[in-house]
DNA sequence: CCTACCGATCGGTAGG
DNA sequence: CCTACCGATCGGTAGG
């Protein structure tokens, strides 16, 4: 217990932030399954093996926890967007990349999301920030859909509604996904991406026409790890 | 004010039930936008221009209102299913009918749905009944997808995940739909149905190829009850 | 990190 | 249908 260099030991701050992360993860899982209001601070504390008051060493209030959940969700969206933008190919292919990545990570890290419906529970400034972030992601996604419309890979003419439809499917996942199910995050991501890729795809594309070098042709099941 | 025959006047019971319906509609709208827990009985009462205590003439408790919302949602599902089953054509065509009808009505009558997430707020027996009903609808929808797989109209191989994906998009609608928007219920229903119809469709079908006499158009009569 | 407590909200009821 | 009130829950804090 002696002689360890400081660098090897978690500093006080690291410990604190590790505990804080655990608190948020635990809360996020509860929010996902029961919603924000139905989850009491006592519930979260019990799940962590401490008493309620102890939680206030790590967060100022309950809303702050929810805020972190929504931030994680938006950050995931940004990351997925970044990846999508770097994906070579048509708008449809970029969109497909977004969906695959977002869904997989969304399921894996149960921090993100939570009861998206209870966004009204945030303080006004928090809510404004979250909504602004989410709107940025939505807008960027719409732009990608537009791109697909222009390069001929996408037929669906309403980018706004299209994006809502996709995000709805994703947001609904926590309400049916169970880690013991027959599909893992990766497979689920694949299937959902398949559905929407085909769903937005220009009709002619599937039946490879000569004048269009089939830019968005569906990629079947890459080898899963 | 005299001489009206009894038949022309709403009976005491009719009045009561009309008021009860109004109560539930008002509550459902609030549940949709704010969720069950964030909506107080006081909120509902104020929206109706009465005081909280008055509501208890029409419902026994708050859960009963939520219960009615979920029942309406299930009933809408059953109705859409009935219609889908009577739709001639492939499994895909039946599924499309379901989506179109369900989405349109779901948006129009704001009774249905509500914060589907807060299903945990119901009493155990209520919850059991709602989940059983929802599962019946889900199962029937999966059967339709299976049908589509067999008649060749659908390619997507996982009926369970397919149905979840569709229902997710639909359940998410209340969180973005505003009655002032550019699309009406009917158009939205059409677009969403389009996306999923294409999304599940066998590749060859859309591009009407001469050598393929549209394999899925073969009519399997047999209207299921 | 715990015990003990407060203040506020809210579902529900009594009594009229 | 209203006024006035109760009982319980729960977020948050004081003090150690």
């Amino acid at each position: 217990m002696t002689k360890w260099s400081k660098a090897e030991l978690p500093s006080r701050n690291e410990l604190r932030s590790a505990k804080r992360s655990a608190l948020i993860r635990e809360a996020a899982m509860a929010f996902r399954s029961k919603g924000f209001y139905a989850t009491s601070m006592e519930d979260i504390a019990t799940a962590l093996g401490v008493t309620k008051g102890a939680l206030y060493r790590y967060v100022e209030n309950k809303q702050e926890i929810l805020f972190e959940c929504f931030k994680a969700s938006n950050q995931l969206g940004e990351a997925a967007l970044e990846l999508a933008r770097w994906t070579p190919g048509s708008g449809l292919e970029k969109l497909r990349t977004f969906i695959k990545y977002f869904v997989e990570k969304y399921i894996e890290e149960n921090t993100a999301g939570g009861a998206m419906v209870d966004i009204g529970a945030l303080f006004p400034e928090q809510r404004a920030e979250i909504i602004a972030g989410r709107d940025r992601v939505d807008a960027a996604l719409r732009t990608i859909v537009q791109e697909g419309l222009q390069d001929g890979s996408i037929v669906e003419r309403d980018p706004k509604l299209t994006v809502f439809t996709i995000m709805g499917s994703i947001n609904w996942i926590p309400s049916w996904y169970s880690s013991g199910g027959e599909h893992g995050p990766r497979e689920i991501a694949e299937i959902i991406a398949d559905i929407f890729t085909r769903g937005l795809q220009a009709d002619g594309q599937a039946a490879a026409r000569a004048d269009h070098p089939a830019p968005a042709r569906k990629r079947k099941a890459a080898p899963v790890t």
Side-chain angles (χ1 to χ4, degrees), chain A residues 2-171:
Chain A
T2 60
K3 290 186 83 178
W4 284 349
S5 78
K6 280 180 185 169
E8 286 171 349
L9 285 171
S11 74
R12 205 159 257 104
N13 272 338
E14 283 167 347
L15 255 178
R16 242 185 84 87
S17 101
K19 289 191 185 178
R20 199 182 115 103
S21 296
L23 154 51
I24 287 165
R25 279 234 332 250
E26 200 64 45
M29 288 174 53
F31 291 167
R32 274 199 187 201
S33 57
K34 300 193 300 179
F36 177 76
Y37 295 100
T39 304
S40 70
M41 292 297 275
E42 189 90 46
D43 291 338
I44 301 168
T46 303
L48 291 166
V50 297
T51 54
K52 184 176 62 166
L55 303 183
Y56 289 87
R57 300 271 302 169
Y58 305 95
V59 292
E60 275 195 9
N61 46 46
K62 198 183 172 189
Q63 283 85 351
E64 186 181 333
I65 308 177
L66 187 62
F67 188 45
E68 293 293 342
C69 294
F70 279 112
K71 276 201 287 187
S73 202
N74 279 349
Q75 276 159 20
L76 185 54
E78 307 262 17
L81 265 177
E82 198 57 25
L83 195 67
R85 285 178 177 132
W86 278 85
T87 299
S90 66
L92 185 62
E93 278 169 311
K94 289 185 205 298
L95 186 65
R96 184 192 165 80
T97 299
F98 176 90
I99 297 174
K100 267 211 60 177
Y101 181 82
F102 191 84
V103 171
E104 189 178 333
K105 297 301 179 193
Y106 185 75
I107 295 174
E108 277 173 2
E109 40 166 292
N110 26 30
T111 304
M116 302 289 291
V117 192
D118 292 332
I119 196 172
L122 294 172
F123 292 122
E125 313 83 42
Q126 296 176 324
R127 190 166 53 238
E129 183 180 329
I130 295 300
I131 290 179
R134 205 195 47 187
D135 283 355
R136 273 200 308 277
V137 174
D138 279 3
L141 262 185
R142 287 204 280 270
T143 303
I144 290 179
V145 174
Q146 284 284 5
E147 232 180 284
L149 268 167
Q150 266 149 28
D151 67 26
S153 58
I154 289 178
V155 279
E156 185 47 63
R157 307 198 149 277
D158 195 311
K160 200 164 147 193
L161 234 156
T162 298
V163 170
F164 284 147
T165 302
I166 295 171
M167 295 314 285
S169 291
I170 297 175
N171 288 325

